[in-house]
Amino acid sequence: MTDRERLLDELRPVAFAIAYRMLGSVAEAEDVVQEALLQVHQALQAGQQIASPRALVATVTTRRAIDQLRSARARREQYVGQWLPEPIITDDRDDPARHAETADLLSLALLALLERLSPEQRAVLLLHDVFDYGYPQIAAIVGKSQDNVRQLATRARRHVRQRRPRFQTTREQREELARRFFAAVEHGDVSGLEVLLAHDVALTGDGGGKVPALARTLRGRSRVARMLIDWARLGARLPGASLRPVEVNGGPGALFLDAQQRLLAVVALEVAGGQVTSIHAILNPDKLTRLGPVGDFGSLRGSAG
């Protein structure tokens, strides 16, 4: 491996960490990363003196991600049902998420929340609060004044804080709560499940119009608990179906697999204050293909009927 190839290999995780958090899509993030690395490669090949390749790749990645996010929003407005970010399994050694520089702002719940920000607000918040860039650097990256950048960050931070749980939990507490959660679901224990759910817990499903899912987010402890038990009963009727606990986007979750160990859905939990505050279920096969073989959920539903 040449020095240039080694440099580009070192820059790839930096670019991916930014692009994925900006776009919520592995496929779109990888496209942006390839374009950014190509630009750096061409600059080096042309003999340009680059003071900081890391700063250059962050700049190019952020700008391309902003442009990509603008066009992606138009497509997402036409999306059938609820749109959720593409999940990544963060305890998988071969997953690109292992390169992410920090687990902050990686959860599906927060990535979905960031969708409500403007592309510039999202970029400024991520660069400052996650990747620790200073306002002068961010201003140069996004092409705005420092005062403007500070205002964008303040508004974005206020929006996020209003909707984020205030109470955090340790990794061990999250894992234990997830274990009890999935056990209650599998055993059909409604009362045991309700105890683990926040009173305003939210359940969101993303089928993309290709797999039956919730048309809109379901809220409330009792309603969510009953829906989860209904889903579990349906799953129990699928021969050989199983749940495999995994870490999804830095938090507790599980893979729902068919008898051939093909993926049917990814479930991610958001935990705060000792309770599950939100549950995200991604069933759209287009968002699962990068995680392994995908089963036919629709035909399984039919066979279970």
Side-chain angles (χ1 to χ4, degrees), residues 21-78:
R21 285 172 173 83
M22 279 290 294
L23 298 168
S25 164
V26 173
E28 293 175 0
E30 288 178 342
D31 288 343
V32 166
V33 169
Q34 286 299 107
E35 293 173 2
L37 293 179
L38 177 61
Q39 186 166 332
V40 174
H41 170 73
Q42 291 173 336
L44 292 170
Q45 196 170 39
Q48 296 181 23
Q49 295 299 314
I50 302 175
S52 172
R54 184 185 179 94
L56 176 59
V57 80
T59 299
V60 176
T61 299
T62 301
R63 290 176 178 174
R64 290 187 178 275
I66 288 173
D67 292 340
Q68 179 73 13
L69 191 56
R70 289 194 180 112
S71 61
R73 286 194 162 188
R75 295 193 302 273
R76 290 171 190 177
E77 288 177 358
Q78 306 299 319

Side-chain angles (χ1 to χ4, degrees), residues 11-298:
L11 292 176
R12 182 177 297 276
V14 177
F16 180 84
I18 295 172
Y20 173 73
R21 285 172 173 83
M22 279 290 294
L23 298 168
S25 164
V26 173
E28 293 175 0
E30 288 178 342
D31 288 343
V32 166
V33 169
Q34 286 299 107
E35 293 173 2
L37 293 179
L38 177 61
Q39 186 166 332
V40 174
H41 170 73
Q42 291 173 336
L44 292 170
Q45 196 170 39
Q48 296 181 23
Q49 295 299 314
I50 302 175
S52 172
R54 184 185 179 94
L56 176 59
V57 80
T59 299
V60 176
T61 299
T62 301
R63 290 176 178 174
R64 290 187 178 275
I66 288 173
D67 292 340
Q68 179 73 13
L69 191 56
R70 289 194 180 112
S71 61
R73 286 194 162 188
R75 295 193 302 273
R76 290 171 190 177
E77 288 177 358
Q78 306 299 319
Y79 194 80
V80 178
Q82 298 281 94
W83 184 92
L84 289 175
E86 183 179 344
I88 50 180
I89 309 305
T90 46
D91 58 6
D92 187 340
R93 291 172 58 89
D94 296 324
D95 193 278
R98 76 186 189 278
H99 298 305
E101 298 181 341
T102 172
D104 294 338
L105 292 184
L106 187 59
S107 75
L108 289 181
L110 194 47
L111 288 178
L113 175 59
L114 293 180
E115 285 291 304
R116 303 182 184 184
L117 302 178
S118 72
E120 288 81 6
Q121 284 179 328
R122 186 165 181 165
V124 169
L125 180 67
L126 289 169
L127 290 173
H128 187 271
D129 288 12
V130 177
F131 299 107
D132 203 28
Y133 283 82
Y135 287 120
Q137 293 173 287
I138 299 173
I141 289 174
V142 300
K144 295 184 179 295
S145 69
Q146 289 190 45
D147 286 344
N148 199 333
V149 164
R150 290 177 185 275
Q151 291 174 358
L152 288 170
T154 298
R155 292 169 188 160
R157 205 173 288 120
R158 184 185 305 122
H159 180 86
V160 170
R161 284 176 177 169
Q162 286 175 347
R163 293 164 175 80
R164 286 287 287 167
R166 297 181 181 179
F167 306 103
Q168 300 305 312
T169 54
T170 66
R171 183 188 184 96
E172 292 73 20
Q173 289 172 326
R174 292 195 300 270
E175 291 177 349
E176 173 61 18
L177 185 59
R179 184 193 65 76
R180 294 169 58 197
F181 170 89
F182 287 115
V185 170
E186 287 192 276
H187 290 100
D189 183 1
V190 177
S191 59
L193 183 58
E194 288 185 348
V195 171
L196 306 176
L197 303 178
H199 72 91
D200 57 349
V201 62
L203 172 62
T204 306
D206 179 349
K210 301 183 178 182
V211 175
L214 294 173
R216 59 185 60 85
T217 297
L218 188 67
R219 300 182 184 277
R221 178 182 290 147
S222 297
R223 297 175 69 197
V224 168
R226 289 195 298 269
M227 179 60 71
L228 290 171
I229 297 301
D230 288 344
W231 283 1
R233 286 170 180 162
L234 174 63
R237 294 162 60 192
L238 303 179
S242 62
L243 278 173
R244 180 193 301 168
V246 293
E247 183 179 278
V248 180
N249 285 67
L255 307 180
F256 182 41
L257 306 164
D258 67 13
Q260 287 74 45
Q261 297 299 290
R262 295 175 302 186
L263 187 58
L264 300 173
V266 172
V267 180
L269 308 181
E270 182 85 350
V271 175
Q275 292 182 308
V276 176
T277 57
S278 67
I279 304 148
H280 293 85
I282 298 91
L283 301 91
N284 184 347
D286 293 344
K287 296 185 178 182
L288 304 179
T289 54
R290 292 176 180 270
L291 302 180
V294 178
D296 186 351
F297 193 89

